[in-house]
């Protein structure tokens, strides 16, 4: 048998907020979470949206109607790699819905980074 190691439990600093677990069953709440200043919240919200839109076509339209398009497009340019990846996955899945594609065509001039990203002239290195 090994020794029992006594853990040193220090109280958290006074200026740090305690951890809050958040659970949402409403799509509108998750769309609001996309605008959070915290990257971890943004990444989780994008992941939840991806899982939601994979379920059915009506969910894609619902999220577009709730205004998830602009925040997702902005998060696709995030500095954080996980946020950017999850936002791309969510938006990519949403484009299976014709109204989402129409929305993206209207936003073409505003989000040129998206078109540069998917341009066939650009070569990607897989590693």
């Amino acid at each position: 048998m090994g020794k029992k190691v006594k853990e040193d439990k220090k109280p958290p600093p006074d200026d740090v907020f305690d951890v809050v677990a958040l659970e949402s069953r409403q799509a509108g709440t998750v769309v609001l979470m996309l605008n959070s200043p915290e990257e971890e919240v943004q990444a989780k919200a994008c992941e939840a949206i991806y899982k939601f839109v994979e379920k059915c076509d009506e969910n894609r339209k619902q999220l577009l109607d709730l205004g998830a398009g602009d925040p997702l497009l902005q998060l696709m340019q995030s500095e954080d790699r996980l946020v950017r990846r999850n936002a791309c996955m969510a938006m990519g899945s949403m484009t299976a819905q014709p109204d989402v594609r129409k929305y993206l065509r209207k936003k073409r001039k505003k989000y040129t980074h998206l078109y540069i990203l998917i341009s066939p002239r650009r070569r990607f290195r897989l590693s």
Side-chain angles (χ1 to χ4, degrees):
M1 286 197 188
K3 287 184 176 179
K4 287 189 176 180
V5 178
K6 190 173 183 180
E7 290 184 31
D8 187 24
K9 293 190 177 186
K10 296 179 183 177
D14 291 337
D15 61 341
V16 176
F17 205 84
D18 291 338
V19 175
V20 176
L22 180 65
E23 185 176 309
S24 178
R25 302 243 182 246
Q26 300 294 320
T29 304
V30 178
V31 170
L32 291 174
M33 290 168 60
L34 292 173
N35 296 316
S36 172
E38 297 180 45
E39 291 169 339
E40 186 176 345
V41 174
Q42 293 171 343
K44 298 263 187 210
C46 290
E47 183 180 4
I49 286 174
Y50 171 73
K51 289 177 182 177
F52 184 67
V53 298
E54 282 293 301
K55 291 180 182 179
C56 68
D57 208 37
E58 291 82 28
N59 292 351
R60 295 175 179 110
K61 176 73 170 121
Q62 179 185 2
L63 283 172
L64 182 65
D65 293 341
L66 287 171
D70 278 338
L72 281 174
L73 287 170
Q74 290 171 354
L75 291 175
M76 288 172 66
Q77 300 177 71
S78 174
E79 297 281 326
D80 186 87
R81 187 176 182 179
L82 183 61
V83 172
R84 192 172 55 244
R85 184 195 75 173
N86 289 352
C88 287
M89 287 173 39
M91 184 55 78
S93 182
M94 285 180 66
T95 58
Q97 217 278 339
D99 289 337
V100 175
R101 291 193 301 269
K102 188 184 303 182
Y103 166 81
L104 288 174
R105 281 191 294 271
K106 288 180 184 177
K107 299 286 184 175
R108 186 177 193 166
K109 291 181 182 171
K110 188 174 180 184
Y111 294 104
T112 56
H113 70 280
L114 176 63
Y115 295 98
I116 291 169
L117 182 67
I118 61 175
S119 172
R121 289 178 269 143
R122 186 170 180 178
R123 293 182 183 208
F124 293 99
R125 194 176 92 210
L126 299 174
S127 53

